[in-house]
């Protein structure tokens, strides 16, 4: 993925900024790594397909009731119980699903220059694509789903995209992203630029 996207990325950066800036390159690599990690999180581990595959995973039905994962969670009555709440698996799963989509919201807003509503909508669309991929058994490559469609994941992921979109201005602080004074002006051909061209 990196090799195939590198040349278009360099061309875009030279057109936009007049040179390849280290901060922009770092953000591009981070977004690419995040995208690949998200795909791996959705698909891996791929279970071996054999006889009794569907029986092994049971009858996984989609979970459509919002926040149903919190049904067994007790309301905290004190500060001690509140800190213990963070150890609850349902709370942790929801929290990690929120955190999973914070980078997506940040990259959508900062790199793709989307507005906050469009970044959140992008997070919802990506989350929905993940959940549909799971409920269809990777688009019918498997005879039945091996992971559950959960509307709580949609809620958490969309909330994470919103948090990320709101936090995206923090990425401006990363040095090495600014454009050259005149991006279209001729520049000296240095050894580093020759190496990059090769």
């Amino acid at each position: 993925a990196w090799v195939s996207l590198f040349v278009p990325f360099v061309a875009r950066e030279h057109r936009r900024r007049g040179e390849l800036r280290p901060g922009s390159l770092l953000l591009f690599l981070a977004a690419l790594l995040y995208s690949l990690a998200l795909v791996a999180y959705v698909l891996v581990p791929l279970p071996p397909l054999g006889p009794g595959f569907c029986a092994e995973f049971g009858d996984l039905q989609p979970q459509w009731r919002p926040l149903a994962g919190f049904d067994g969670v007790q309301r905290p009555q004190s500060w001690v119980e509140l800190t213990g709440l963070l150890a609850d698996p349902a709370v942790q799963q929801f929290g990690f699903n929120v955190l999973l989509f914070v980078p997506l919201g940040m990259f959508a807003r900062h790199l793709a220059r989307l507005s906050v509503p469009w970044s959140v909508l992008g997070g919802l669309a990506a989350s929905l694509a993940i959940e549909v991929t799971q409920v269809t058994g990777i688009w019918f490559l498997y005879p039945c789903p091996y992971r559950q469609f959960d509307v709580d994941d949609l809620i958490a992921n969309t909330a994470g995209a919103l948090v990320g979109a709101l936090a995206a201005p923090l990425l401006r602080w990363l040095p090495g992203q600014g454009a050259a004074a005149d991006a279209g002006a001729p520049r000296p051909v240095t050894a580093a630029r020759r190496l990059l061209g090769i």
Side-chain angles (χ1 to χ4, degrees):
W2 162 241
V3 170
S4 65
L5 294 173
F6 183 68
V7 172
F9 172 74
V10 171
R12 190 194 84 169
E13 287 300 297
H14 274 271
R15 175 98 174 139
R16 239 169 106 191
R17 296 187 167 91
E19 63 183 343
L20 183 62
R21 305 285 292 166
S24 300
L25 180 62
L26 182 64
L27 283 176
F28 173 70
L29 289 173
L32 180 63
L33 180 64
Y34 170 76
S35 301
L36 295 174
L38 194 60
V39 169
Y41 175 74
V42 173
L43 301 178
V44 175
L46 293 173
L49 189 57
F53 176 83
C54 291
E56 179 182 344
F57 288 98
D59 188 21
L60 285 177
Q61 295 297 320
Q63 196 289 106
W64 293 105
R65 193 163 56 84
L67 305 178
F70 292 106
D71 284 350
V73 177
Q74 299 292 325
R75 275 198 181 157
Q77 304 297 325
S78 67
W79 284 105
V80 175
E81 289 182 15
L82 182 62
T83 56
L85 184 67
L86 297 176
D88 190 285
V91 174
Q92 287 181 350
Q93 180 178 348
F94 192 87
F96 284 131
N97 274 321
V98 170
L99 289 176
L100 180 66
F101 269 60
V102 168
L104 190 142
M106 293 181 82
F107 292 140
R109 178 106 187 269
H110 184 75
L111 296 179
R113 306 200 184 284
L114 298 177
S115 64
V116 171
W118 279 108
S119 298
V120 173
L121 191 61
L124 174 63
S127 181
L128 186 60
I130 289 170
E131 295 300 319
V132 170
T133 300
Q134 291 175 347
V135 80
T136 58
I138 310 181
W139 299 98
F140 308 106
L141 288 176
Y142 286 92
C144 56
Y146 63 91
R147 296 179 90 170
Q148 184 182 33
F149 178 102
D150 193 341
V151 74
D152 288 354
D153 291 349
L154 285 175
I155 295 169
N157 295 157
T158 306
L162 173 62
V163 171
L166 294 175
L170 295 174
L171 293 179
R172 291 184 195 146
W173 291 90
L174 182 70
Q177 297 181 71
D182 184 1
R187 314 236 354 216
V189 180
T190 62
R193 294 187 79 193
R194 286 181 189 276
L195 184 62
L196 181 62
I198 291 170

